[in-house]
Amino acid sequence: MLPKGGYILASNHLGRLDSLMVYYVLDTDDIVHPLTDKYKKHPFFRLMAWWLKMTWLKRGQADMKAMREFISRLKNGAVMVITPEGTRSKSASLLQGESGAIYIASAAGVPIVPVALTGTQDALVKSQLKKFQRLKITISIGKPYAPVNLKVIKGAERDRALQTATDDVMCRIAAMLPEGYRGVYASHPRLKELLATN
């Protein structure tokens, strides 16, 4: 069950269709949806960003203007959709997660909901549509949880806590995925711990 108020949906990233799946799951109009500015040159993505009210995010740098918007809207009850990998996985298996989701959740004081997707790989979707086959997409939603509070941690300890929390959300996603999708987290101790308690 999804929480009330602001929270972050953090999912794996397989293909361009991932972005639209959240609108199937969520029953809210206030969705914070970042889109990297590399897509600004494509008219289709500009139109989609306008239609879905996405927020442009500068790729490869700390976009503090966007971060402040995300945190403010989350504090006011919005739902943010984020893919911690930062880019689509061409192999369908998990890539190393980045720390943005944890940083934003901690700054806004909102929970994270891990989400696992399968069947949304670009090549697979394209192949099935060409053959007029029905798409076989699964969406698994984990339990909401409160990530580490970075405000009370300083220095190098903060960096370690941020990395541990990033690995934790990625392992929570991995635990809901088939074994072949778990990628760099397949042998992570935290994933083994999660699988043992399920």
Side-chain angles (χ1 to χ4, degrees), residues 84-181:
E85 292 163 284
T87 189
R88 285 169 286 146
S89 172
K90 292 177 181 168
S91 66
S93 57
L94 285 173
L95 305 173
Q96 186 71 41
E98 297 176 6
S99 58
I102 301 300
Y103 175 83
I104 294 166
S106 177
V110 297
I112 293 179
V113 179
V115 176
L117 298 169
T118 63
T120 58
Q121 300 95 306
D122 289 340
L124 179 61
V125 168
K126 190 174 179 180
S127 169
Q128 288 175 326
L129 290 176
K130 273 186 175 179
K131 296 173 186 174
F132 299 100
Q133 292 177 338
R134 187 174 179 178
L135 300 179
K136 295 174 184 174
I137 295 169
T138 63
I139 305 171
S140 302
I141 301 173
K143 292 179 182 175
Y145 75 99
V148 64
N149 183 358
L150 295 172
K151 295 172 189 172
V152 298
I153 306 171
K154 305 292 180 190
E157 198 62 39
R158 188 175 188 269
D159 292 338
R160 281 193 290 273
L162 189 56
Q163 185 58 58
T164 299
T166 300
D167 289 342
D168 181 52
V169 70
M170 295 306 295
C171 286
R172 288 172 188 259
I173 294 168
M176 295 185 287
L177 288 168
E179 194 171 344
Y181 283 71

Side-chain angles (χ1 to χ4, degrees), residues 43-59:
F44 171 76
F45 289 106
R46 284 203 310 272
L47 178 63
M48 189 171 77
W50 170 79
W51 181 48
L52 298 176
K53 299 176 186 171
M54 293 178 169
T55 302
W56 293 109
L57 182 66
K58 291 177 185 171
R59 188 177 175 86

Side-chain angles (χ1 to χ4, degrees), residues 8-25:
I8 289 178
L9 278 181
S11 80
N12 58 319
H13 195 10
L14 300 174
R16 292 183 177 93
L17 199 56
D18 297 346
S19 297
L20 300 178
M21 290 299 97
V22 295
Y23 294 91
Y24 175 76
V25 172

